[in-house]
Amino acid sequence: MKAAVYYGKHNLVVEDVPVRELKDNEVLIQVKYCGVCGTDVHIFNGDGGSFEVTPPLIPGHEFSGVVKKIGANVNRIKVGDRVSGDPNDMCGECYFCKNAMQHFCTDNIGVGTTVDGGFAEYVIMHEKQLYTFSDDLSFIEAAMAEPVSCCLHGIDLCHIKSGDTVLVIGGGPIGMIMLQLAKNEGATKLILSEPVEEKRELALKLGATKVIDPINEDVQAVLDEYTPNVNVVIECVGNIHTQEDAVKFAGKGATVMFFGLASPEDSFPLKPDDVFKKELHITSSFINPYTYERAIQVLESKTLRLEDLITNIVPLDDIADVFTKPEYRRAGKVMIKIAD
């Protein structure tokens, strides 16, 4: 099969690789689309992602496709099923798995991070990781199930109440998903801080009630004029400066969600007095425990507008361009098209 193989920092090569034999509990999927995630960019740049990456590896963990072959002990999934897969395969035996914290599993297998993933014509996964979806959902929409599942976990941890004011920092695909989920949770003032004008305009179409240009506007002054208190701040950039801003702009009793993935070496100063005087709840969100089926249901319900977030569809042969040309990173969601 054709696959994009990561050999180390800034070294991603499309080449032919063999398709290994299935184990009894595994399924072979022909990949239709696989999304490019910020984690993939971190891997390409040698930073690693949520889990330690050992080359050579086929990255890609946001995919959809069609089942082509099943192992001897596979019962729930059938050949021909339209599927998306949760890339995280937990051991079920460690302390965390047995105490409802499976995303901290000490022996987790990550498709696209620790084992070969979806930037290939075929991907192999355990049956338990796969979720079927109906013909009403397109393959390109279903490839968004993994990022939506991660956002659902993050939004759950924000504890948004009806009537809340929510500030989202960063108008990339994740920020736009978070904006819509916050609206669905009942937030009535939805603010996006984003320097790119086109993204601010899109946010207004997706439900934002206020947008701020952090380069040319005084963010704090705009917030003070618009709302008496920011209840939740969701940082979706993964930059130490915007993370520091998240704490700065949070209101009294607010929750600050660090959702963006920063470099492992990054740090910024935090004043405990600021946290104390505002009684802040500072949290983060790690992968997607127990939310994948919900993500499929949300996608099937059509309560999220995702088509506007996908700005580029790139063939597998040209995948390296996505990681080396900055115009792709300035755009929205990039999908790698593998098969018709």
Side-chain angles (χ1 to χ4, degrees):
M1 66 175 180
K2 184 187 296 183
V5 183
Y6 171 73
Y7 283 102
K9 185 176 181 178
H10 299 160
N11 189 0
L12 186 68
V13 181
V14 177
E15 59 188 18
D16 287 325
V17 300
V19 180
R20 68 170 176 83
E21 290 296 316
L22 291 180
K23 297 177 183 177
D24 288 347
N25 60 354
E26 290 181 331
V27 175
L28 178 70
I29 303 108
Q30 181 190 36
V31 180
K32 297 290 189 178
Y33 290 92
C34 189
V36 178
C37 172
T39 294
D40 299 316
V41 176
H42 279 280
I43 292 171
F44 180 79
N45 289 327
D47 294 331
S50 299
F51 307 103
E52 180 140 4
V53 174
T54 302
L57 175 86
I58 301 170
H61 57 275
E62 306 176 357
F63 80 92
S64 66
V66 176
V67 174
K68 290 299 181 180
K69 188 177 179 181
I70 61 175
N73 294 335
V74 172
N75 298 306
R76 179 176 57 87
I77 299 296
K78 305 181 298 298
V79 172
D81 279 350
R82 299 155 60 89
V83 295
S84 179
D86 183 344
N88 303 298
D89 182 12
M90 313 308 184
C91 74
E93 296 295 330
C94 70
Y95 170 87
F96 298 103
C97 283
K98 290 184 175 181
N99 284 275
M101 295 184 287
Q102 67 169 23
H103 52 313
F104 299 125
C105 173
T106 57
D107 194 25
N108 176 72
I109 296 171
V111 172
T113 51
T114 67
V115 298
D116 288 339
F119 290 148
E121 292 178 313
Y122 296 94
V123 65
I124 292 174
M125 298 184 77
H126 288 172
E127 178 186 30
K128 65 180 179 179
Q129 296 172 261
L130 295 174
Y131 296 81
T132 60
F133 58 90
S134 72
D135 292 344
D136 294 332
L137 196 63
S138 69
F139 284 108
I140 200 166
E141 289 174 308
M144 295 290 284
E146 197 277 341
V148 169
S149 72
C150 292
C151 288
L152 284 172
H153 179 51
I155 215 77
D156 288 346
L157 294 171
C158 289
H159 303 293
I160 295 169
K161 304 184 298 297
S162 294
D164 272 353
T165 295
V166 175
L167 167 64
V168 176
I169 299 178
I174 292 297
M176 296 298 190
I177 293 172
M178 284 298 206
L179 187 77
Q180 295 178 77
L181 290 175
K183 180 180 180 180
N184 292 348
E185 289 291 313
T188 49
K189 289 186 176 180
L190 291 155
I191 309 161
L192 176 74
S193 176
E194 165 57 52
V196 178
E197 182 179 2
E198 292 81 3
K199 293 180 180 179
R200 296 197 301 271
E201 292 173 354
L202 175 58
L204 291 170
K205 295 178 183 178
L206 296 177
T209 59
K210 189 75 170 178
V211 293
I212 304 173
D213 177 357
I215 304 299
N216 298 302
E217 294 184 271
D218 183 331
V219 177
Q220 189 64 66
V222 174
L223 293 174
D224 290 343
E225 182 179 351
Y226 183 64
T227 182
N229 199 55
V230 175
N231 306 107
V232 177
V233 182
I234 308 175
E235 197 282 337
C236 298
V237 181
N239 178 286
I240 55 174
H241 303 294
T242 50
Q243 290 174 333
E244 192 170 4
D245 284 345
V247 177
K248 175 182 176 182
F249 299 137
K252 301 294 178 65
T255 294
V256 178
M257 164 57 68
F258 290 152
F259 197 86
L261 180 62
S263 170
E265 288 75 35
D266 282 346
S267 63
F268 66 89
L270 176 66
K271 294 181 180 179
D273 188 62
D274 291 343
V275 178
F276 165 71
K277 288 180 177 176
K278 292 198 285 186
E279 199 174 86
L280 297 181
H281 304 264
I282 299 176
T283 188
S284 61
S285 177
F286 183 65
I287 63 175
N288 60 343
Y290 317 110
T291 55
Y292 213 92
E293 187 165 8
R294 286 171 58 198
I296 295 291
Q297 292 169 351
V298 168
L299 291 174
E300 295 268 14
S301 74
K302 306 292 184 178
T303 53
L304 294 180
R305 286 179 56 182
L306 299 177
E307 64 276 7
D308 294 327
L309 309 184
I310 300 168
T311 54
N312 298 90
I313 300 174
V314 177
L316 181 60
D317 285 333
D318 298 332
I319 189 172
D321 291 344
V322 177
F323 296 93
T324 57
K325 295 183 177 180
E327 56 264 33
Y328 284 109
R329 291 191 291 281
R330 286 196 295 265
K333 188 69 177 179
V334 178
M335 284 285 175
I336 306 302
K337 184 175 182 180
I338 314 291
D340 294 322

